[in-house]
Amino acid sequence: MSEPTIFEQIVAGDIPARVVYETDTTIAFLDANPLAPGHTLVVPKEAHERLRDLPDEAAADLWAAVDELTPRVEDAVDADGLTVGVNDGAAAGQEVPHVHVHLVPRFDGDGGGPIHGVAGGRPDLSDGELDDIAGRIERD
Ligand code: AMP
């Protein structure tokens, strides 16, 4: 058995968190190192590392919680917008190997950027390459 993740320990009540939402399957709490006031993490209680690992029901509950919480988080801190993001895999910057959705309140002039900045330089793809990628995604 691998070590329980920090989020499993929060789910189990073994370490404290500022919980703002909880159902049988899903929990949300304030990020301990917030990028903005109100930065919230939405987490399936069952431990799975990647979005692709989540059972359908857990995934549906997770995204329903995101849908419910986005206006609540934004309004709670009087934000002007919200960035919703998942670091899905180590290559994407995931540090805690337990699925979680970041809700990061955004403010006019906060100095942050859009999610277009996350992937480094933009690739120069031909029409053929784009068609090929689209076809492979469609088949999956
Ligand atoms: P990620 O890089 O997507 O895996 O993000 C993990 C997030 O978990 C970071 O934003 C951390 O600040 C946050 N985090 C780590 N430990 C805790 C904790 N004990 N309570 C709340 N948030 C945490």
Side-chain angles (χ1 to χ4, degrees):
M1 283 290 278
S2 55
E3 282 282 293
T5 66
I6 194 97
F7 295 164
E8 280 177 273
Q9 294 173 61
I10 289 173
V11 168
D14 293 338
I15 63 170
R18 289 189 171 82
V19 175
V20 298
Y21 173 100
E22 185 165 12
T23 67
D24 287 347
T25 63
T26 313
I27 191 167
F29 45 84
L30 296 187
D31 194 294
N33 298 291
L35 297 172
H39 182 176
T40 297
L41 302 174
V42 192
V43 180
K45 287 185 171 177
E46 205 173 281
H48 296 283
E49 183 166 346
R50 300 283 308 274
L51 283 175
R52 65 194 310 153
D53 305 325
L54 273 185
D56 289 348
E57 195 181 332
D61 290 352
L62 176 71
W63 293 110
V66 169
D67 186 50
E68 181 169 336
L69 284 165
T70 48
R72 282 166 52 179
V73 169
E74 187 173 326
D75 293 352
V77 294
D78 202 18
D80 302 304
L82 198 81
T83 295
V84 179
V86 180
N87 295 323
D88 189 29
Q94 183 176 7
E95 290 183 354
V96 177
H98 184 139
V99 172
H100 52 284
V101 181
H102 292 260
L103 308 181
V104 183
R106 300 297 303 272
F107 300 86
D108 292 336
D110 65 12
I115 59 169
H116 300 78
V118 300
R122 293 188 187 219
D124 187 16
L125 298 168
S126 67
D127 282 346
E129 288 169 318
L130 291 167
D131 289 343
D132 180 51
I133 293 165
R136 278 187 273 138
I137 294 171
E138 205 177 4
R139 275 198 297 277
D140 283 345

